[in-house]
Structures are given as C-alpha cells and as structure tokens.
Amino acid sequence: MDVLFVASEVAPWSKTGGLGDVAAALPRALAARGDRVTVVTPRYGSIDPVKRGLRRLDVALHGRSEAAGLYVADGPAPVYFVEHERFFGHRRGLYGENGHDYADNAARFAFFTRAALDLPAALGLAPRIVHLNDWQTGLGAWMLRHEKQDLAWARAARSVLTVHNLAYQGNFPKQAVPAVGLPWEVFRHEAMEFYDQLNFLKAGLVFADAVTTVSPTYAREILTPEHGNGLDPQLRHRARDLHGILNGIDVEEWNPETDRHLPARFGCGDLAGKAACKEALQRELGLPVRPEVPLIGMVGRLAEQKGLDLVSAALPDLLRLGPQLAVLGSGRHDYEDLFRRAARERPDQVAAHVGFDEGLAHRIEAGADLFLMPSRFEPCGLNQMYSLRYGTVPVVRAVGGLEDTVEDYDGYRRGTGFAFREYHPRALLTALRRALDLFRDRRAWTGLMERGMAQDFGWDRSAQAYERLFAELSSR
Ligand code: ADP
C-alpha cells in the first residue's frame, strides 16, 4: 500500500501529545510490513538544523502559488518537512505560546495541508491512501474531493481521518472561510459550519472516505452526546465509516528489560529488578524507603480530561488508606498546586514533581506498584499500557481506551487491573481499596502483575488493522 501520512507533529521532532507518538510509530510499523509510507509535517522553528535540504515546493492556495521549502529525514518511512518561515519557522510553539493559540492557525494549517497534498506530484508519487490526522489536516479531505483538477495524482486516492482527541476541533471565526481560500458554500451545517464557526475537524468528518479513532470503545462513545463534543450528529451520520483502532506503544522505548532510564532492569518471571526500582524511586523522591508500603504512580497532563477533580476530592481518604503517591505532570495550576501542597503537608506519603521529565516518567512506571488513571474521557491513553508492561497494576476508570486495555480483576485469576465506571470519588476509592487489599496477597498480586506484563501492545497489530481498512477503501 502506498500511503501519504499527514500530521502536524511527529516525534521526536515535534510532540505535544499522543498524536506525535502515533505519527512516529504507525508509519514505521506500516513500513516494516512492506507498505510505502511518506510522512509530511511542518518544520517548526524548534526543528533544526534540518536534515537534508531538498527543493522548493509550490503550494497552490487561493488560486495562486506560494513557495515552501522542503526537507527530508530519510528512513524506512521518510519524513518530509514543509518549511515556511512566517507560518512555522518563526514560531517557538506548535499551535500557540503562553497558553494562547496563534491567531493565524487556520491559515497556517490550511497552508500545511495543501502543501502536503502538493508533495506527491513534486516527488513523482501517487499514494492511494491519504491518512489525515486531527483538525490540523481536516481540510485535506475536502481538498481531495474538490480540488481534484490540480491534484491529478489523487484521482484514485482515498482519504482517512484519524481523530486522536475529539475535544480539539480547530474552530475559527467565519472570516477564516475566505481567508484560507475556501468558497462560502462550505459554510453550511452539512459541511464545515459549527455554531457559526468554521470547524476544520468537521471538514474531515464530513468529507473523508473513512474516519478512525484510537480505540474501539472511544469510537462508540463519541457517537453519544456525552462524549461527542457537539459533533456526535455528524459522527452518527458516518457511523458505518467509523472505525476504532487501538494505538500501540513503542515496545523498544518502553521495555523494562532494556530501559536505560532505570537503575535496575526486570521482566516477567524476574521481578527482583522491580523491587530495586521501587527502592531507588522512593529514595529519589524523598519518600520513606519502605518496600511493604504500596506506591501509587501518576504521570500525565494535569488536565480536566484526566479526572483530577476526582483525585482532588478523594485525596484525603486515599491517603488515609496508607499508600505513597508519586505524581509527575504539569498543566492546570490548581492541580499543580493541589499536589505541591499535598507533598508539603504529607512528605512521608506524597511526592510531586511539576514539569515534564521523560526519565522520571520511566522510573515511576517501573518503581510504582499501582498506576492511577481515573480519566473523565480517554481516546486511547498510553500510560496504562506502559504500566501493564512494567508490572505496575493500573487503577483506571472504565472509559475509552482504558476500558479496551485494562481488564478488571475478577477476584480470582482473571484481569490485569482495577476498573471503576461511575465518575465519582467514591467509585475511585472503592477500586483503590480493592487494589490495596489485594496488594497484601503477594501471590495473587504477582499473578496480576504477570498477566499485565504478558500483554502485547506492539504496533504491528494496529498496523494490520489500518492495512485492512486501507485495502477495503482502495477496492471501493
Ligand atoms: P495524552 O495524549 O492525553 O496526553 P497519553 O497517556 O496518551 O495522554 O500520552 C501521554 C504521553 O506523554 C505519555 O507518553 C506520557 O508518559 C507522556 N507524559 C505526559 N506528561 C508527562 C510528564 N510530565 N513528563 C514526562 N512524560 C509525560
């Protein structure tokens, strides 16, 4: 299969979240299976001093042509960087700075998307699948249908839009319609209009040949008003073309047997190294070094999505149960303060590190006994999969990708973690109590850990599912 993969971030060059990871891993997994995948992404100012300089790309927009630079990072799935000084080169952030989105994001990502579609002709390629990702590239689905006359390579192409998080939609004032070179006819409810704004994601949902999202359960949930973020009517309309394909994780980067961030290594059937990781983590974080005290880890964006109001409400009761808590994250200041304060008041039980720290994220995943992830909603989630791989038992809310990856312990010998459904601090505490009770039963606990560690979350299975979808679309 010949695929053009269009994404506004690609790790390690640019990343604000799961999208960057997927855009790095999925093309590589497809390439390893023999597909030809060309990745295209903006060259932000932070990406430097770029790779092999290539050529000039003429981008057709507003009925005229604007020049962009083009660079490439070679590899099994080569990554092409679109360079445009004013739109990308001069910016320190990807989508904004200091908590404010850039005012010209509509123009920036309309330009990038059109540049991505002008790439195949410049390279002499004719991909059969154009894989778009999130709102930044949503207009591509419309362009492929309506600008066919100057995208000759695309006549037989099919488009797929993957929604990584429906909460981010790219809504802009309607003045953006002419400003990004769209005709006013797109500004209607059946197309891109959304509460009198121009909605880039909706363009993708309406015009892509297929829509995917990053877990089967989230794919069902977003059809409901509760999780549909106002777009559930469009999604229900496309329900037959909507597929949930679970993300994988990078099993080389997240491998407890080889992880270079850890003070000791371990694996299924050889858990001595995990005890050493716990001891080192307690020491690193200034917690009492006590192997018998259960240590709960939390890593992630401190955002509403992650269920932090539940944690906040449950925290006093949670601490009364006696565990240690290690938190790494940044985001909303009130949540940062919550954990800082808890660490100050209860230094024997709580350690909080506000910031982004890749190494510490690995050491928490390895050293903790339990991992808490009580998300309000979760398109897929990666941390619970890392936890399972590291023998750290996840306690999660059964929602979205968490429901698809963590099986609730049945009290006997099935299950890989603890899940609760009701979005209420009481439900979280009940699940945690069950977990802490079982923690004292070393044999049952080890069985639980090892079942989790034996799960396969590699990318190959996801890549196969995407291939099946691509093949089905191509045969239409
Ligand atoms: P989301 O994409 O909603 O932020 P995911 O669980 O899918 O959540 O992925 C988050 C990724 O970012 C994980 O790889 C996680 O380890 C990483 N991460 C989030 N916050 C931090 C942090 N403060 N320090 C280190 N890594 C972090």
Side-chain angles (χ1 to χ4, degrees):
M1 198 60 73
D2 203 335
V3 183
L4 179 70
F5 191 93
V6 189
S8 57
E9 49 188 271
V10 180
W13 293 285
S14 52
K15 170 176 162 175
T16 66
L19 167 61
D21 288 325
V22 175
L26 175 58
R28 249 187 269 142
L30 287 167
R33 299 179 52 77
D35 300 305
R36 175 173 178 170
V37 189
T38 307
V39 181
V40 54
T41 195
R43 184 198 163 193
Y44 301 102
S46 54
I47 301 177
D48 105 318
V50 147
K51 315 292 128 195
R52 185 149 67 79
L54 203 68
R55 55 187 293 166
R56 189 182 128 120
L57 180 70
D58 291 313
V59 181
L61 210 61
H62 313 221
R64 58 192 177 81
S65 166
E66 188 161 340
L70 197 58
Y71 295 82
V72 64
D74 292 309
V79 181
Y80 286 83
F81 296 91
V82 172
E83 182 183 61
H84 187 285
E85 234 1 74
R86 183 163 49 88
F87 282 159
F88 304 115
H90 278 320
R91 313 291 170 109
R92 277 192 292 131
L94 272 55
Y95 314 123
E97 281 171 43
N98 308 322
H100 296 288
D101 288 345
Y102 293 128
D104 58 351
N105 272 348
R108 295 172 74 224
F109 290 101
F111 178 82
F112 163 64
T113 301
R114 179 59 210 222
L117 299 185
D118 281 319
L119 181 70
L123 299 178
L125 299 174
R128 295 293 300 273
I129 296 292
V130 179
H131 192 158
L132 305 163
N133 291 277
D134 276 354
W135 70 262
Q136 291 87 346
T137 61
L139 290 185
W142 181 86
M143 292 171 179
L144 282 166
R145 280 181 191 228
H146 295 86
E147 299 183 342
K148 274 215 152 97
Q149 61 292 359
D150 48 315
L151 293 171
W153 64 268
R155 291 225 167 92
R158 299 282 181 271
S159 59
V160 176
L161 172 79
T162 296
V163 179
H164 297 263
N165 191 335
L166 193 65
Y168 302 94
Q169 301 183 355
N171 276 304
F172 302 99
K174 60 182 156 200
Q175 294 78 349
V177 174
V180 303
L182 291 168
W184 276 110
E185 70 198 44
V186 305
F187 199 69
R188 56 196 161 85
H189 183 67
E190 300 71 37
M192 305 182 196
E193 185 268 341
F194 185 72
Y195 294 96
D196 209 34
Q197 294 203 302
L198 172 65
N199 183 309
F200 273 33
L201 188 69
K202 194 174 170 190
L205 298 181
V206 170
F207 293 105
D209 293 303
V211 177
T212 75
T213 187
V214 290
S215 70
T217 295
Y218 191 58
R220 284 191 297 277
E221 289 170 345
I222 58 179
L223 299 176
T224 67
E226 187 192 348
H227 292 284
N229 291 75
L231 288 171
D232 47 294
Q234 276 66 45
L235 287 158
R236 283 195 295 276
H237 191 66
R238 298 294 316 265
R240 272 159 42 103
D241 301 315
L242 175 65
H243 308 264
I245 301 177
L246 194 69
N247 282 340
I249 58 172
D250 184 333
V251 291
E252 274 160 37
E253 178 67 20
W254 292 92
N255 180 353
E257 291 178 4
T258 56
D259 192 329
R260 64 201 151 85
H261 298 290
L262 306 186
R265 279 162 268 282
F266 58 95
C268 217
D270 169 24
L271 291 168
K274 186 165 171 75
C277 286
K278 178 173 177 179
E279 184 184 326
L281 181 66
Q282 286 173 323
R283 223 180 281 287
E284 174 179 355
L285 296 176
L287 291 166
V289 177
R290 293 178 59 189
E292 76 286 2
V293 174
L295 173 52
I296 303 172
M298 286 185 74
V299 178
R301 289 185 293 123
L302 300 182
E304 161 116 14
Q305 173 192 337
K306 301 296 175 181
L308 291 156
D309 50 342
L310 285 194
V311 179
S312 172
L315 196 58
D317 286 335
L318 185 159
L319 292 177
R320 263 192 284 280
L321 298 173
Q324 296 179 347
L325 180 63
V327 183
L328 166 64
S330 63
R332 260 178 57 174
H333 296 307
D334 51 341
Y335 295 135
E336 293 179 352
D337 289 342
L338 167 77
F339 292 117
R340 277 205 198 97
R341 200 174 337 112
R344 244 191 342 262
E345 288 168 5
R346 307 296 293 271
D348 54 327
Q349 268 189 291
V350 183
H353 187 103
V354 172
F356 195 95
D357 186 332
E358 187 76 32
L360 183 55
H362 284 247
R363 291 192 295 280
I364 290 178
E365 288 290 3
D369 299 297
L370 299 116
F371 192 88
L372 182 59
M373 202 160 165
S375 302
R376 184 182 283 275
F377 70 96
E378 196 60 74
C380 177
L382 298 172
N383 278 304
Q384 80 280 12
M385 291 192 264
Y386 303 154
S387 301
L388 288 166
R389 199 126 201 273
Y390 280 61
T392 301
V393 174
V395 178
V396 303
R397 177 148 181 262
V399 69
L402 295 171
E403 167 138 30
D404 294 330
T405 49
V406 178
E407 190 189 350
D408 190 42
Y409 179 59
D410 71 346
Y412 186 50
R413 56 170 62 160
R414 276 185 58 136
T416 53
F418 296 86
F420 62 97
R421 208 160 280 279
E422 194 195 356
Y423 193 80
H424 196 284
R426 192 178 47 229
L428 185 160
L429 284 165
T430 304
L432 251 179
R433 249 185 233 110
R434 285 169 58 215
L436 295 175
D437 281 347
L438 194 76
F439 180 75
R440 285 193 287 268
D441 178 347
R442 291 318 296 172
R443 257 189 59 181
W445 190 261
T446 305
L448 188 59
M449 285 164 75
E450 293 190 332
R451 281 195 297 280
M453 295 178 86
Q455 307 273 310
D456 172 15
F457 292 119
W459 267 101
D460 192 57
R461 198 178 8 187
S462 312
Q464 278 184 51
Y466 280 103
E467 271 182 349
R468 278 196 295 275
L469 173 64
F470 296 165
E472 191 264 312
L473 286 173
S474 293
S475 68
R476 274 191 203 171

